[in-house]
Amino acid sequence: MILIIIIIIILKKGIKLYKKNTFSFSLLALSSSFCYISTAGLAKDIELKDLNISANLPSKPITTKDKYKGSSSISKNTISSIAGPRRGLTDILKINPNVTFANTQVSSKNQGELDSQDISINGARSYQNNFIIDGMSINNDLNPSSSLRVSQEMGSMSSIGMSQTALPDIGSISQGINLDPDLIETLNVYDSSVSAKYGSFQGGVVETKTRNPRNGFHGKISSGYTSDKYTKIFVDEKEKNDFENSHNSLQQPKFKKIRNIVELEGYVAENLGILFNYSRSRSTIPLLAYSENYAEKYGQETKNQTRKNDNFFLKARYFATDNLTITPSFIYAPSSGAYHNPAAKNSKQTYNSGGLISSIDLDYDLGFGKLNQVIGFSNLNSSRDAEHEYYKLWSTGSRFNKFKTGGNSGGFGDIDQTQKTLSYKASLDFEKAKILDIGDLSLDHSFSMGLELKKVDASYKIKRAFNVYSVPSVYSGKTVNGFYGPEDRQERLDRCHPDDEACTVESLYDWDPSRLDGYAYMKKDTYSGETKAKIKQYSFWLQDELELGNLSLRPGVRFDKDSYTNKLNVAPRFVSSYEFSNSKITLGLNRYYGRSPLALMLKEGREDLKTSYKRKRFGGILYDPDDPSWEIDTSVLKKSDRFFRKLKTPYDDELAIGFDTSFYNLDLGLKYIHRKGKNLIFDADVITEGIDISKLDKNKYNKSDLRVFTNKGESKTDIYTVTLSNKIPYKIQNSTHAFELAFNYTDARSNSLAYNSFVQGSNTHKTDSSLGKTQKPSYKYLKLDGKIINIEDAPAEDFNRKWSLRLSTISKFPNFLSPKLDLTVGNTFRLEAPLKRLQLATDENVENYNGHYVTAYRTKKISGTGFNWDIRLGLVYNTSKNSEFFANLDVLNVLNKKIVSGEIDRYSKDISNVKIYQSGRSFYFEGGYRW
């Protein structure tokens, strides 16, 4: 470990030098990584025949494409060379041109977070990707379109980063767990012309294959570290003071992150190998405990919010026979975040996510084909754990301010939101067989088929009943009959019932400490019970790959049915390719069905979890300390704000056209993808949906503001990509160099954001007395920049950078400065389009357009082009007996560019047009030992 310490000291010295002379450092890094580009044009003169200088040198390009150019594979070698915040597998995908990130999730202000970032593939909604680990889906469908950051992403700052409601929509990241990237052997991204084998997505499939145990005995120990001291944070001047004195968990001026890993692997028998890995990430975020409005009353202090990620991974590989391989795996990856409410005492809440994923993979060679079966079970959660299971809502005014014990207090209660999945998958791939001979050509085919059975049980459960108290009453005198009344009658409360947590007495006056005055809450809402949802899914698919000379065809079809919609969804899949003169053209026509709305099913019946009470003596004579009992408040009905009905499964239709060619050790790829989404789910007003509210039960529904989910969402996306990479890494003297250049242009349009968002037009109806009727918000029209357009032609509001240019390079220098020292330099350069925002233009709203109320927007450009450069420097010191010390330095945003990622309005402080920036230059250190 002495070497690691020395290396880190050298790196820290380098950082200080770097801060003093950014230009020199940048020049050094550029020259080390790009010295080969100048020789790329002379590829014929570069020695390519002897690249096996070291086993660690890359022999493949940065990413590899499949036969039909619909997927890309990222190897372990590439993954270990990419700089990133190491927050999960989605960090690795920044080199993929078809993957985009949420604009404001990369905010400079939340660098203490550990959760993976949401991604969109080909413009689809972030929660409509299918994440797979070792053959098992790990999607968390509890509420993936909401998160603790959701209000910031949607352009407001009304949230403080935690839910302050009794029954919150607890959000979750769409990939159910945070997998340690070091465990990944290959990461495959299927973005177009996806095989019929895969379903339950509209964007794409992210398939992770974890490493298998190696022969011998191997292990690793490592630690990683970063903090605000090694991060340049950019904030808008308008909120700089608020940020530096933050009580808001969305704004993190200080943080410290530590990551530790222990790994052991090897074969305990000739036919049995075991791999164990444990990674532990911790982040500490000190914030002010209370906002300025409450600091004086409660006493200001600093509280540490925490984020925790643990990852226990156990995998075995057992060669039972020559034909049967059994691979069980177990992942337990809990994550948590501890928050506090700056407007309440005793408010600590811990939000838990992640959970357990286990599977058994059975591979059997039948001779005529290969049978793969995966039996899996997962238990994922998105839950809340309150330290104090109650909430007391205080009032303001001179009568209340004199009580020292008064004030908002509590953390509501514990809620367990779980998703348990039992699944079985089987696929049978037949050996290639000849169908017939056609002249000098033969027609061959490879047939495959499979099925998938899945049972999902979800619940939203209040672990223990909790109360939310309101309407506090203050007393200062005593009546002649022994009961207590309002202050204006000069009655004083000097004792409470011993079992009444909603009553408090205290000494208010120094001149008479023995005098007690008190207050009692007169109303409460009690929350208890649970809601449940169940879905059974059945899938079956067929696929055949036909080859005739240079022509390849892959027709297929996938059948999906679930117990929610009870409808059979048929998704045809087809892709073809034709090769000629080192070139290839591909054509794909496909349909992809998304997943059923599990999160929406859990919302149904949630109003029944609340029961309202009032004091029996509510009104007139109030509180009796000898009988402080409650009775049901019959004036408060359990009315639902939502009308539920069956929904269809959303889907996307795709056209994909590609052209690839090879020349001078280079691969050039061109691809066009057109997607059209139908039956997308969003939130709507019942009147817009044509529901006659007069026929609904007034005791069941809140008719004044009743909403419904609808399938009228639509989207249109056109994606153009150009990629250029070297087929075999270039060798220059004793080093090798690989690069990949990718350009992407995306035109994504949709009439809604997500299932819990409104249509982009008006979100409610409007009564027009002059017309004598109610105007409906328009699903068809929207006014943009002075013109009324079809609403589905409105540009997307997130994941919406029009184009990007990305360059990734990996350079390896064996025997760097010493025969035992190897250096790896990985660079990621990204140039992105200017960012635009839709801004409400209420002064231009159209009151009556064919009987509809049309909302107006203006397009506002909020940034110029953004350029970012990340670099990873990896040093390995080889010792004897196949062991090595290693140290990595990640520098993100090397040039410290101020890149705008969004803009928000903070209406609470009347501050508008507040810019959100990506993080400035930041450093991440990692060091360890492996053998």
Side-chain angles (χ1 to χ4, degrees):
M1 295 303 292
I2 295 176
L3 176 67
I4 301 300
I5 295 172
I6 294 173
I7 291 174
I8 290 176
I9 291 173
I10 293 172
L11 292 176
K12 286 188 174 182
K13 294 283 187 184
I15 289 171
K16 289 181 180 177
L17 233 116
Y18 168 64
K19 288 181 176 179
K20 292 180 180 178
N21 195 339
T22 303
F23 177 76
S24 299
F25 182 90
S26 304
L27 188 61
L28 174 63
L30 278 169
S31 60
S32 67
S33 186
F34 282 98
C35 61
Y36 72 95
I37 289 183
S38 61
T39 62
L42 304 175
K44 293 180 180 179
D45 300 325
I46 296 174
E47 291 292 331
L48 297 173
K49 59 185 179 180
D50 186 17
L51 290 174
N52 295 319
I53 302 169
S54 165
N56 292 324
L57 292 180
S59 58
K60 294 182 179 180
I62 291 177
T63 62
T64 56
K65 307 294 190 297
D66 74 340
K67 179 178 181 179
Y68 299 101
K69 308 302 178 181
S71 71
S72 60
S73 178
I74 306 174
S75 68
K76 178 177 173 58
N77 175 74
T78 298
I79 292 170
S80 63
S81 303
I82 298 175
R86 321 313 285 176
R87 279 162 55 168
L89 59 90
T90 54
D91 292 332
I92 304 164
L93 301 180
K94 64 183 180 181
I95 67 174
N96 189 303
N98 293 90
V99 174
T100 54
F101 292 81
N103 296 340
T104 52
Q105 275 195 11
V106 288
S107 169
S108 179
K109 298 183 293 184
N110 64 357
Q111 292 299 297
E113 299 297 333
L114 297 176
D115 280 346
S116 297
Q117 300 177 63
D118 290 328
I119 62 168
S120 171
I121 298 178
N122 291 332
R125 295 174 175 181
S126 61
Y127 52 85
Q128 282 292 7
N129 300 311
N130 192 355
F131 290 90
I132 300 173
I133 296 180
D134 291 336
M136 184 173 177
S137 296
I138 62 165
N139 305 292
N140 189 334
D141 291 325
L142 289 171
N143 198 15
S145 81
S146 297
S147 72
L148 298 180
R149 301 183 297 266
V150 71
S151 64
Q152 183 175 348
E153 296 165 18
M154 297 304 165
S156 71
M157 285 293 291
S158 59
S159 173
I160 54 173
M162 63 185 288
S163 174
Q164 285 307 297
T165 59
L167 299 176
D169 288 331
I170 304 174
S172 58
I173 58 173
S174 54
Q175 60 269 30
I177 64 171
N178 283 333
L179 183 69
D180 184 350
D182 292 342
L183 292 171
I184 300 174
E185 183 66 32
T186 58
L187 184 64
N188 300 315
V189 180
Y190 301 89
D191 60 68
S192 60
S193 298
V194 183
S195 164
K197 179 180 180 180
Y198 302 98
S200 300
F201 70 93
Q202 288 177 268
V205 179
V206 180
E207 183 180 41
T208 301
K209 295 182 179 179
T210 59
R211 293 196 301 107
N212 290 320
R214 294 175 291 170
N215 286 317
F217 176 64
H218 305 276
K220 180 181 75 170
I221 54 173
S222 67
S223 293
Y225 178 81
T226 189
S227 73
D228 59 280
K229 294 181 180 179
Y230 300 104
T231 303
K232 176 64 177 177
I233 298 175
F234 292 125
V235 296
D236 196 300
E237 288 294 326
K238 297 175 184 177
E239 61 172 358
K240 187 174 183 180
N241 182 67
D242 287 347
F243 178 78
E244 293 175 348
N245 299 280
S246 174
H247 54 77
N248 187 328
S249 61
L250 297 176
Q251 302 188 72
Q252 304 165 1
K254 296 183 182 298
F255 66 91
K256 180 171 65 175
K257 294 199 284 191
I258 299 173
R259 180 170 175 257
N260 299 309
I261 299 175
V262 177
E263 183 177 286
L264 296 171
E265 64 177 309
Y267 270 71
V268 297
E270 184 179 355
N271 60 345
L272 176 61
I274 296 177
L275 167 62
F276 170 76
N277 176 288
Y278 169 61
S279 65
R280 179 180 187 268
S281 298
R282 296 292 185 269
S283 179
T284 304
I285 307 166
L287 296 172
L288 295 180
Y290 303 109
S291 63
E292 56 188 21
N293 295 332
Y294 296 90
E296 183 177 353
K297 182 175 181 60
Y298 300 151
Q300 191 61 281
E301 58 180 319
T302 298
K303 290 185 178 181
N304 286 334
Q305 295 196 7
T306 59
R307 309 290 186 266
K308 299 178 182 180
N309 281 347
D310 290 291
N311 202 305
F312 298 87
F313 178 81
L314 181 63
K315 184 177 184 178
R317 191 163 176 83
Y318 176 56
F319 296 94
T321 68
D322 291 341
N323 296 327
L324 176 63
T325 303
I326 303 174
T327 309
S329 64
F330 173 93
I331 304 173
Y332 179 58
S335 299
S336 65
Y339 299 79
H340 64 264
N341 180 358
K345 301 179 296 181
N346 304 322
S347 64
K348 182 180 178 181
Q349 297 178 358
T350 301
Y351 287 84
N352 301 304
S353 60
L356 168 69
I357 293 177
S358 59
S359 65
I360 299 178
D361 189 304
L362 305 169
D363 282 308
Y364 195 82
D365 191 340
L366 300 172
F368 60 85
K370 293 182 178 180
L371 174 65
N372 174 258
Q373 301 174 86
V374 179
I375 304 169
F377 173 77
S378 67
N379 187 356
L380 305 176
N381 79 97
S382 293
S383 303
R384 180 179 71 186
D385 182 7
E387 188 173 46
H388 298 274
E389 296 178 49
Y390 63 85
Y391 193 79
K392 296 177 180 178
L393 183 62
W394 193 239
S395 296
T396 58
S398 59
R399 293 192 304 157
F400 298 94
N401 293 340
K402 60 186 177 183
F403 285 92
K404 299 175 184 177
T405 58
N408 300 327
S409 178
F412 296 98
D414 295 352
I415 293 176
D416 274 354
Q417 192 178 215
T418 59
Q419 173 186 307
K420 297 179 181 179
T421 305
L422 181 64
S423 64
Y424 171 76
K425 294 171 67 174
S427 62
L428 177 59
D429 298 319
F430 291 88
E431 293 291 330
K432 181 184 292 188
K434 181 186 294 185
I435 299 177
L436 53 86
D437 291 319
I438 303 175
D440 295 333
L441 303 177
S442 64
L443 177 62
D444 301 326
H445 83 123
S446 303
F447 183 74
S448 57
M449 60 189 295
L451 63 86
E452 182 174 356
L453 308 174
K454 185 182 294 185
K455 180 177 180 289
V456 183
D457 291 293
S459 68
Y460 185 98
K461 181 180 181 180
I462 299 171
K463 290 178 66 175
R464 289 173 293 275
F466 66 90
N467 297 313
V468 176
Y469 297 99
S470 60
V471 192
S473 292
V474 171
Y475 309 100
S476 60
K478 189 170 184 178
T479 65
V480 294
N481 59 10
F483 296 116
Y484 299 89
E487 184 181 25
D488 57 8
R489 294 174 58 179
Q490 294 302 304
E491 297 156 357
R492 181 167 61 86
L493 174 63
D494 57 10
R495 68 186 179 92
C496 296
H497 191 279
D499 297 329
D500 191 355
E501 70 173 359
C503 176
T504 303
V505 294
E506 63 175 279
S507 176
L508 300 181
Y509 307 104
D510 295 336
W511 50 268
D512 186 4
S514 63
R515 169 176 168 152
L516 297 178
D517 293 84
Y519 57 89
Y521 289 89
M522 309 312 295
K523 287 192 174 187
K524 72 174 181 179
D525 293 324
T526 299
Y527 295 86
S528 64
E530 69 178 310
T531 61
K532 295 181 179 180
K534 294 183 179 182
I535 296 181
K536 294 180 180 179
Q537 297 175 319
Y538 318 91
S539 302
F540 178 72
W541 58 272
L542 301 167
Q543 184 172 277
D544 199 4
E545 186 166 9
L546 305 167
E547 295 180 355
L548 179 64
N550 294 333
L551 175 65
S552 296
L553 305 174
R554 194 185 69 191
V557 63
R558 183 180 179 91
F559 305 92
D560 294 290
K561 187 176 182 179
D562 63 65
S563 58
Y564 173 73
T565 61
N566 202 30
K567 292 183 179 179
L568 180 66
N569 295 321
V570 181
R573 308 282 176 90
F574 173 80
V575 63
S576 63
S577 72
Y578 182 74
E579 297 184 34
F580 61 96
S581 303
N582 295 323
S583 301
K584 177 186 291 186
I585 56 174
T586 58
L587 171 67
L589 296 168
N590 302 278
R591 172 170 289 188
Y592 311 120
Y593 279 93
R595 293 190 296 281
S596 295
L598 182 65
L600 309 188
M601 296 169 63
L602 280 178
K603 292 178 182 288
E604 188 168 2
R606 198 173 293 182
E607 68 277 1
D608 293 330
L609 304 182
K610 169 186 169 183
T611 303
S612 298
Y613 295 88
K614 65 180 179 179
R615 298 283 186 184
K616 280 188 176 180
R617 300 183 180 277
F618 186 79
I621 297 176
L622 298 180
Y623 185 78
D624 181 356
D626 297 318
D627 182 20
S629 53
W630 304 84
E631 64 182 3
I632 292 179
D633 189 349
T634 56
S635 66
V636 180
L637 299 176
K638 293 184 177 182
K639 292 185 178 183
S640 175
D641 293 326
R642 185 163 298 282
F643 180 78
F644 288 91
R645 61 183 180 181
K646 289 284 186 178
L647 294 167
K648 301 175 184 177
T649 306
Y651 67 90
D652 268 51
D653 285 331
E654 174 191 82
L655 165 67
I657 303 173
F659 172 78
D660 293 85
T661 188
S662 300
F663 57 94
Y664 296 119
N665 191 40
L666 296 173
D667 275 334
L668 173 66
L670 310 174
K671 185 162 67 173
Y672 166 70
I673 301 172
H674 174 74
R675 290 275 187 92
K676 194 165 186 178
K678 293 288 188 179
N679 293 340
L680 307 185
I681 300 170
F682 67 81
D683 194 6
D685 187 288
V686 291
I687 293 180
T688 306
E689 287 296 288
I691 298 172
D692 188 352
I693 60 175
S694 65
K695 295 181 180 180
L696 300 179
D697 186 350
K698 66 179 181 180
N699 294 321
K700 184 178 180 180
Y701 296 105
N702 181 8
K703 296 185 180 182
S704 61
D705 188 22
L706 190 60
R707 309 203 65 80
V708 63
F709 291 113
T710 179
N711 275 119
K712 291 186 177 178
E714 296 182 357
S715 66
K716 294 189 300 184
T717 311
D718 293 286
I719 308 104
Y720 306 83
T721 56
V722 181
T723 58
L724 180 67
S725 62
N726 50 353
K727 298 171 65 175
I728 302 174
Y730 294 117
K731 175 182 176 183
I732 301 177
Q733 295 183 345
N734 200 33
S735 62
T736 60
H737 308 267
F739 83 93
E740 182 169 290
L741 181 68
F743 174 79
N744 166 272
Y745 178 87
T746 301
D747 185 11
R749 300 176 181 274
S750 176
N751 65 353
S752 62
L753 288 169
Y755 63 76
N756 60 350
S757 72
F758 304 123
V759 68
Q760 287 197 35
S762 176
N763 62 15
T764 187
H765 61 272
K766 182 181 178 66
T767 300
D768 189 335
S769 57
S770 64
L771 294 176
K773 62 180 180 180
T774 299
Q775 295 172 288
K776 299 178 182 179
S778 177
Y779 289 164
K780 189 174 182 180
Y781 305 109
L782 178 145
K783 189 176 182 181
L784 182 62
D785 297 328
K787 296 180 179 179
I788 293 180
I789 62 173
N790 290 328
I791 199 166
E792 62 269 19
D793 293 329
E797 294 187 57
D798 203 2
F799 304 94
N800 63 348
R801 297 229 184 224
K802 279 285 188 182
W803 57 263
S804 67
L805 180 64
R806 314 180 197 200
L807 173 64
S808 303
T809 71
I810 298 177
S811 301
K812 290 187 176 287
F813 302 87
N815 306 324
F816 179 74
L817 302 180
S818 165
K820 293 187 175 183
L821 192 65
D822 298 331
L823 170 66
T824 299
V825 181
N827 289 285
T828 305
F829 301 88
R830 189 169 64 252
L831 182 67
E832 294 181 317
L835 193 59
K836 297 179 180 180
R837 174 193 180 193
L838 293 186
Q839 224 174 15
L840 280 170
T842 53
D843 56 322
E844 297 182 18
N845 288 347
V846 179
E847 293 290 331
N848 181 19
Y849 187 81
N850 295 332
H852 291 271
Y853 182 82
V854 180
T855 305
Y857 292 87
R858 297 188 187 97
T859 302
K860 180 184 178 184
K861 182 179 177 181
I862 60 176
S863 76
T865 55
F867 177 75
N868 186 66
W869 170 25
D870 299 334
I871 186 171
R872 164 167 274 211
L873 302 173
L875 288 172
V876 175
Y877 182 78
N878 299 287
T879 63
S880 58
K881 299 182 180 180
N882 297 319
S883 62
E884 60 191 22
F885 292 95
F886 66 93
N888 298 312
L889 171 64
D890 288 3
V891 186
L892 308 180
N893 195 353
V894 173
L895 301 180
N896 203 33
K897 292 284 188 178
K898 203 170 184 179
I899 305 170
V900 175
S901 61
E903 186 179 74
I904 59 175
D905 296 321
R906 293 182 57 183
Y907 299 109
S908 59
K909 290 201 172 184
D910 198 26
I911 302 175
S912 61
N913 305 327
V914 177
K915 294 286 194 299
I916 300 174
Y917 298 96
Q918 295 182 24
S919 175
R921 184 187 307 122
S922 62
F923 300 90
Y924 177 79
F925 308 91
E926 182 184 29
Y929 174 71
R930 55 187 172 227
W931 67 94

